[in-house]
Amino acid sequence: MKKMMDLLAEEMSAAFEKAGYDASLGKVTVSNRPDLCEYQCNGAMAGAKTYHKAPLMIAEDVVKHLTDSSVFSVAEAVKPGFINLKVRESFISHYLEQMKVSDSLGVEKTEDPKTIIIDYGGPNVAKPLHVGHLRSAIIGESIKRMGRFMGHKVIGDVHLGDWGLQMGLIITQLRDMKPDLPYFDDDFQGEYPKEAPFTIGELEEIYPAASARSKEDEQFRQEALEATHLLQEGKPGYRALWNHIMNVSVTDLKKNYEKLNVTFDLWKKESDAQPYIPDMVEKMKQEGYAYLDQGALVVDVKEESDTKEIPPCMILKSDGASLYTTTDLATIVEREKLFHPDEILYVVDKRQEMHFIQVFRCAKKTGLLPDKTKLSFLGFGTMNGKDGKPFKTREGGVMRLEHLIADINEEMFKKIVENRSVRDKDAQETAQIVGLAAIKYGDLSNQATKDYVFDIDRFTSFEGNTGPYILYTIVRIKSILNRYIEAGGNLESGEILEASSDSEKALMLALSGFLAMAVNAFEEKAPHKICSYIYELANEFNRFYHETKILSEEDERQKESWIQLLNLAKRVLETSIDLLGFSAPERM
Ligand code: ARG
């Protein structure tokens, strides 16, 4: 389907042409004076110079050709030369009828599907998931869904952090705690135990303890570095331990992501890129890109146009160990080999921007990827507490994701029980569904790059620009539709008639903007645009609902039309929240 706005522009362009002006002047935008008109065209202002004419004269010439337009009911030239527009009721209802019969609400799959890898989530094995990882998971999941909705082949990769110092720290700490384990016996010949020597609970305590210790105890730190190196070189006992750490951790991570309704196609990890490192480094050296600088192997990535200093990209440390950059570069090699992506998008904390500038430039410069392959970085801001500082627990510690979710669900449960008469057994489940919407909407409704304040009270409110408000609106529509069906009605019959009130027309216009919004939100990788769209749509729906007695309407055709409109609104809202990664309950 064509975008509503494009259809309006086509009609307008034709009028410009008929009046003897260039068609390209017929651009239409949403009115910035909604009290006066719905849309406006500023083409006469833009054309004044070219045609050496007062803009108002041009506007007057143009509107003469719109007097019996089937698209506009009002096209008015106003000083100093704007054209104020209102759309014909019949034109909108016809447009919505077309949307209604389309399974995808008028959004056509792209004719040029791209393979896009999204690198998101990015948790580190054996470290508890914290709120910093929440944003990556939520934003990445939404962009993945948006891309698929537009018809692209999108591959989500969790890209586990499993190869850094944290592994050496855990191994070394464990060695001190349980020195008799066979993993630490260099002469051990038999098979290592199948059972992990720790539970997830223990594992999660080992890491913070080891990390704290490494900051005070230099010798311990050196041992951990050494253990990391030995692991990377394949020492059997350490590899076996690493396997246990991975299994225990991944099981737990999957459970957590499931709670967030976040899924990945690939559970790849940093270590999967290791086999690609030697050849990659060799190539960089041979082709003259990499050189030794104080023992370390580096590639220059600065460019003339840089306004700030971009340090060289470090490929290997002086002891030959690989780094975060090395792994990311080798992962690019692996991704190119396995998937030939058109684009790789990284959804990572914006504080890592410099790292990605270096990695992207180095990958392009050294030819790891074809020139046309896009590397993009979506850097997100920090989630802060009400005090404006990074979100913490009440005790001041790092907030774990599970606890955050539990807190929200508890708050939601309280509100649901207070507000509604949902039976208790449903209330728990409903609280989880609504709680997830509260978290995700609270996050996604902010422009991703900005920091935002995580405010449980506000996010869980049923009023205002919140997830629960959107769900509440959907549930309200569902309940009207259900009552209609219970009274013998069906959702198949009837057609959407012309709007009979201002609030109905406003609702219809809002619905007609879905296609343009969906295309634009994906293009700009901006889930917050979906949020502002559905917030406005929900407001328009509620205004219409308060002014209209739907189920008691006596004119059957009118009632059917409203039911059709409601059903369309429900589909648009549900499709939108699915793109955001949450869903609505039946009742709340
Ligand atoms: N594990 C990293 C962290 O917690 C994020 C990984 C992001 N992805 C990447 N390819 N570097 O900071």
Side-chain angles (χ1 to χ4, degrees):
M1 244 171 109
K2 286 189 180 170
K3 293 175 198 160
M4 180 71 162
M5 202 68 101
D6 290 347
L7 293 172
L8 303 185
E10 276 175 21
E11 179 78 356
M12 193 40 105
S13 299
F16 267 89
E17 223 169 16
K18 279 187 216 153
Y21 302 103
D22 199 81
S24 67
L25 295 171
K27 277 202 200 77
V28 173
T29 56
V30 172
S31 159
N32 52 24
R33 285 290 304 273
D35 50 326
L36 297 179
C37 57
E38 293 151 0
Y39 295 92
Q40 68 188 58
C41 169
N42 305 344
M45 307 287 290
K49 248 207 179 131
T50 324
Y51 295 102
H52 303 291
K53 257 193 193 177
L56 190 61
M57 278 172 69
I58 300 180
E60 278 168 349
D61 287 346
V62 172
V63 298
K64 277 188 210 134
H65 295 275
L66 288 167
T67 40
D68 46 38
S69 162
S70 61
V71 177
F72 299 115
S73 57
V74 173
E76 210 178 8
V78 298
K79 275 186 212 159
F82 297 118
I83 302 175
N84 286 352
L85 299 165
K86 283 190 183 166
V87 180
R88 260 191 214 291
E89 276 71 4
S90 56
F91 187 75
I92 315 172
S93 55
H94 182 72
Y95 188 86
L96 295 189
E97 269 295 315
Q98 282 175 276
M99 251 177 100
K100 186 184 97 179
V101 295
S102 153
D103 283 338
S104 55
L105 298 161
V107 178
E108 282 153 34
K109 301 268 178 245
T110 170
E111 282 166 9
D112 182 20
K114 304 277 191 221
T115 300
I116 305 168
I117 297 179
I118 306 190
D119 181 314
Y120 67 109
N124 300 312
V125 166
K127 295 192 200 172
L129 270 185
H130 60 77
V131 295
H133 293 114
L134 178 70
R135 296 212 70 192
S136 179
I138 291 180
I139 298 167
E141 177 73 19
S142 174
I143 294 174
K144 179 184 78 182
R145 290 171 182 230
M146 287 156 70
R148 288 193 178 149
F149 187 60
M150 302 320 299
H152 296 288
K153 179 177 175 203
V154 189
I155 304 168
D157 181 5
V158 70
H159 195 73
L160 289 174
D162 70 334
W163 211 232
L165 179 60
Q166 94 251 32
M167 289 299 177
L169 286 169
I170 293 169
I171 292 172
T172 312
Q173 180 79 355
L174 207 62
R175 183 205 61 195
D176 289 0
M177 288 163 65
K178 305 181 180 181
D180 295 335
L181 288 174
Y183 311 96
F184 305 112
D185 175 359
D186 287 341
D187 301 324
F188 184 75
Q189 293 291 342
E191 271 209 18
Y192 291 113
K194 290 221 161 34
E195 208 49 32
F198 40 70
T199 63
I200 181 70
E202 286 163 345
L203 191 56
E204 284 182 349
E205 280 173 21
I206 296 176
Y207 173 75
S211 166
R213 190 174 155 198
S214 73
K215 290 187 182 108
E216 278 148 25
D217 180 344
E218 183 51 30
Q219 193 194 331
F220 177 76
R221 204 182 106 83
Q222 287 306 327
E223 285 167 10
L225 280 168
E226 172 68 9
T228 311
H229 206 94
L230 288 172
L231 167 70
Q232 295 185 353
E233 289 191 336
K235 183 180 162 84
Y238 288 5
R239 285 304 292 231
L241 259 184
W242 173 86
N243 264 319
H244 286 312
I245 299 174
M246 290 302 290
N247 288 338
V248 169
S249 235
V250 169
T251 311
D252 186 61
L253 282 171
K254 287 194 170 158
K255 223 173 57 201
N256 272 296
Y257 282 124
E258 204 171 305
K259 275 194 209 142
L260 283 175
N261 206 358
V262 168
T263 57
F264 299 94
D265 306 290
L266 301 176
W267 278 80
K268 290 246 170 212
K269 34 201 190 318
E270 289 176 344
S271 61
D272 288 321
Q274 293 304 301
Y276 297 89
I277 293 179
D279 284 357
M280 179 183 83
V281 171
E282 207 33 55
K283 176 173 145 38
M284 288 180 180
K285 278 201 238 169
Q286 252 170 27
E287 292 174 5
Y289 295 116
Y291 65 93
L292 282 173
D293 181 22
Q294 295 168 21
L297 192 70
V298 302
V299 172
D300 279 332
V301 291
K302 62 174 186 285
E303 287 168 10
E304 282 212 355
S305 55
D306 289 341
T307 50
K308 62 178 173 190
E309 158 110 29
I310 312 285
C313 184
M314 208 196 276
I315 310 294
L316 292 178
K317 287 203 277 192
S318 49
D319 63 358
S322 58
L323 304 109
Y324 189 41
T325 27
T326 327
T327 318
D328 264 327
L329 286 164
T331 303
I332 289 179
V333 175
E334 184 189 28
R335 286 176 175 161
E336 173 58 21
K337 177 161 179 256
L338 301 180
F339 304 106
H340 302 299
D342 296 290
E343 179 174 1
I344 308 176
L345 169 69
Y346 297 81
V347 183
V348 185
D349 192 310
K350 71 178 173 197
R351 284 169 292 191
Q352 293 191 24
E353 184 175 13
M354 183 56 88
H355 165 77
F356 285 100
I357 292 178
Q358 292 175 306
V359 167
F360 291 180
R361 286 188 180 184
C362 183
K364 284 283 156 118
K365 180 173 180 180
T366 62
L368 303 185
L369 281 169
D371 273 345
K372 63 174 181 11
T373 310
K374 243 170 95 178
L375 292 171
S376 356
F377 174 62
L378 176 59
F380 54 79
T382 309
M383 179 173 140
N384 289 325
K386 273 187 180 171
D387 57 1
K389 300 205 188 99
F391 198 84
K392 293 267 154 72
T393 60
R394 257 170 245 138
E395 292 73 37
V398 174
M399 181 61 131
R400 294 184 37 173
L401 192 54
E402 301 168 71
H403 297 158
L404 179 90
I405 296 177
D407 283 0
I408 285 264
N409 288 350
E410 193 187 317
E411 189 58 34
M412 239 25 276
F413 180 74
K414 268 196 240 150
K415 289 202 173 144
I416 286 172
V417 174
E418 260 168 35
N419 278 9
R420 302 278 112 199
S421 52
V422 185
R423 276 169 294 131
D424 244 28
K425 121 174 140 24
D426 287 350
Q428 283 295 358
E429 206 183 304
T430 308
Q432 278 179 26
I433 300 175
V434 186
L436 187 61
I439 296 179
K440 287 196 166 184
Y441 191 94
D443 188 300
L444 294 171
S445 55
N446 301 283
Q447 202 177 321
T449 49
K450 298 218 168 109
D451 298 349
Y452 77 97
V453 173
F454 193 89
D455 181 343
I456 295 195
D457 286 337
R458 190 168 79 72
F459 288 5
T460 57
S461 168
F462 288 97
E463 277 150 42
N465 190 5
T466 71
Y469 169 69
I470 303 292
L471 297 194
Y472 193 72
T473 306
I474 296 174
V475 166
R476 171 175 273 167
I477 300 177
K478 283 188 183 181
S479 125
I480 303 170
L481 295 179
N482 285 339
R483 274 186 285 151
Y484 180 71
I485 292 169
E486 277 159 24
N490 75 69
L491 301 182
E492 269 70 56
S493 54
E495 61 173 326
I496 299 176
L497 305 174
E498 294 177 20
S500 56
S501 67
D502 283 352
S503 62
E504 184 176 8
K505 189 173 184 191
L507 171 61
M508 292 170 99
L509 282 174
L511 286 167
S512 74
F514 175 73
L515 168 60
M517 179 285 295
V519 171
N520 176 252
F522 177 65
E523 247 164 34
E524 296 188 8
K525 301 191 169 114
H528 74 276
K529 296 211 163 170
I530 302 184
C531 295
S532 30
Y533 172 75
I534 56 178
Y535 179 52
E536 199 190 310
L537 179 58
N539 283 339
E540 295 299 5
F541 168 78
N542 285 312
R543 186 157 74 95
F544 167 70
Y545 168 81
H546 287 299
E547 286 180 6
T548 319
K549 293 205 162 42
I550 299 168
L551 290 175
S552 55
E553 172 61 39
E554 296 195 339
D555 178 347
E556 227 15 73
R557 245 167 67 86
Q558 179 63 78
K559 180 150 85 175
E560 275 177 358
S561 163
W562 283 338
I563 292 294
Q564 292 293 313
L565 189 62
L566 258 60
N567 201 25
L568 184 62
K570 168 176 166 276
R571 285 175 59 208
V572 169
L573 286 168
E574 285 191 320
T575 305
S576 300
I577 62 172
D578 186 59
L579 295 176
L580 296 172
F582 56 90
S583 57
E586 281 313 305
R587 273 163 295 163
M588 64 190 266

